[in-house]
Amino acid sequence: MSVAPITLVCLSLATLFVAALPVSLYRRLRVPFALDWRDTIAGVAVFAFFATVLERALNDYVLHGNAAAARVMANPAFFVLYGALAAGVCEEVGRYIALRLIERRGARKPTAPADGAALGYGIGHAGAEAWFVGVLVQLQWIVFAVLANRGDLDEHLSNLTLDSVLRVHLILASLSPLFAGVFAIERTAAFVFQIAFSVLMWRGVRAGWTGILPLAIVVHALIDVPAAMYQAGLAPLAAVDGFYAVAAVVVAIVLFRTCRRERRGVSVA
């Protein structure tokens, strides 16, 4: 089998776009919002540990390691509930801890926009997700597609089982320009949501509101419900991606207006 050249080009462009998104946004906001690179590194570290280590370990135990839990998760409703809450709890607890530490550090200039810490952290958290969940995965499929077009794929997959090799071929056969577009939309929407979660958490932390953590968990879980429904076979991909595209545009507009309003208020003061 082979992957059409137009599909490879579209997938490569979409991957490059997602890869450049956090870098370009950080460079764009670094001066006007006085971003601190330490906040961004904290965001990367939190996602790497709480999402890729803790959450994956929890999922492996609940979905595979514990027979009783796995039987419960076979019910689509319980799977959706668990999937949404697991991501919300793991990521928001990590975000809360990091932003509390950043707030206690208190080393920011008095004239700097207060949301700068949240934006810097959010770019790190969202950028780590974009790279770990999106860019690195798509790079693997691009490499597989190139190998398939050269006729060398099966040789490079010789250490895998027959079922795994067949799965790779099936996924490659499903790749298309539309898939590349969907990938770019999904990762961009997730990027916007992660920054919005960071601003929400930061404002709650700064206000000293104890209810911000449970609120953030609930909001994060609600955003993850459509994706979990798709994974459980309860919702079509087109509807889920359509919802995320519209929601991301709305959230981005609100985020832009609120952060710009605060920045103007600081600059006038």
Side-chain angles (χ1 to χ4, degrees):
M1 66 155 293
S2 63
V3 178
I6 185 63
T7 296
L8 264 176
V9 170
C10 291
L11 190 57
S12 299
L13 290 175
T15 304
L16 285 173
F17 170 78
V18 174
L21 187 59
V23 178
S24 60
L25 187 61
Y26 183 89
R27 294 183 62 183
R28 175 68 180 83
L29 301 182
R30 182 175 62 84
V31 173
F33 282 93
L35 302 186
D36 188 329
W37 64 270
R38 292 174 296 179
D39 301 337
T40 304
I41 294 300
V44 173
V46 166
F47 183 85
F49 180 70
F50 284 87
T52 65
V53 177
L54 287 185
E55 186 181 343
R56 286 186 181 180
L58 178 63
N59 289 341
D60 286 342
Y61 176 75
V62 172
L63 301 177
H64 307 290
N66 186 296
R71 284 194 296 270
V72 173
M73 291 302 111
N75 184 307
F78 285 111
F79 176 84
V80 170
L81 180 62
Y82 165 78
L85 282 176
V89 170
C90 291
E91 288 193 49
E92 295 309 320
V93 168
R95 197 188 320 264
Y96 176 76
I97 293 172
L99 291 178
R100 279 290 302 272
L101 293 175
I102 291 173
E103 194 270 339
R104 287 180 179 179
R105 189 179 72 213
R108 194 164 297 273
K109 297 178 181 178
T111 57
D115 281 336
L119 292 173
Y121 172 89
I123 291 173
H125 193 121
E129 181 180 44
W131 272 81
F132 293 161
V133 179
V135 174
L136 297 180
V137 173
Q138 294 311 314
L139 284 176
Q140 172 185 269
W141 291 114
I142 291 172
V143 170
F144 284 168
V146 171
L147 291 173
N149 288 351
R150 292 178 176 177
D152 297 331
L153 180 61
D154 289 342
E155 179 181 348
H156 283 78
L157 300 180
S158 59
N159 60 325
L160 299 181
T161 64
L162 179 60
D163 287 343
S164 297
V165 172
L166 290 175
R167 179 176 178 275
V168 170
H169 280 281
L170 286 174
I171 293 177
L172 289 176
S174 69
L175 296 181
S176 66
L178 178 60
F179 174 89
V182 168
F183 162 71
I185 291 173
E186 288 178 348
R187 289 300 97 214
T188 302
F191 190 88
V192 171
F193 296 145
Q194 291 288 12
I195 293 179
F197 293 150
S198 300
V199 172
L200 174 66
M201 181 71 79
W202 176 244
R203 293 190 174 189
V205 167
R206 288 181 59 222
W209 183 38
T210 57
I212 186 58
L213 178 57
L215 174 64
I217 290 173
V218 170
V219 173
H220 194 137
L222 289 175
I223 288 294
D224 281 347
V225 163
M229 291 179 65
Y230 167 71
Q231 291 178 343
L234 300 178
L237 181 61
V240 172
D241 286 337
F243 165 78
Y244 282 136
V246 173
V249 171
V250 173
V251 171
I253 292 173
V254 173
L255 193 60
F256 175 77
R257 289 180 176 178
T258 55
C259 292
R260 185 179 62 171
R261 187 182 306 121
E262 181 186 305
R263 178 180 168 235
R264 285 179 174 176
V266 170
S267 62
V268 171

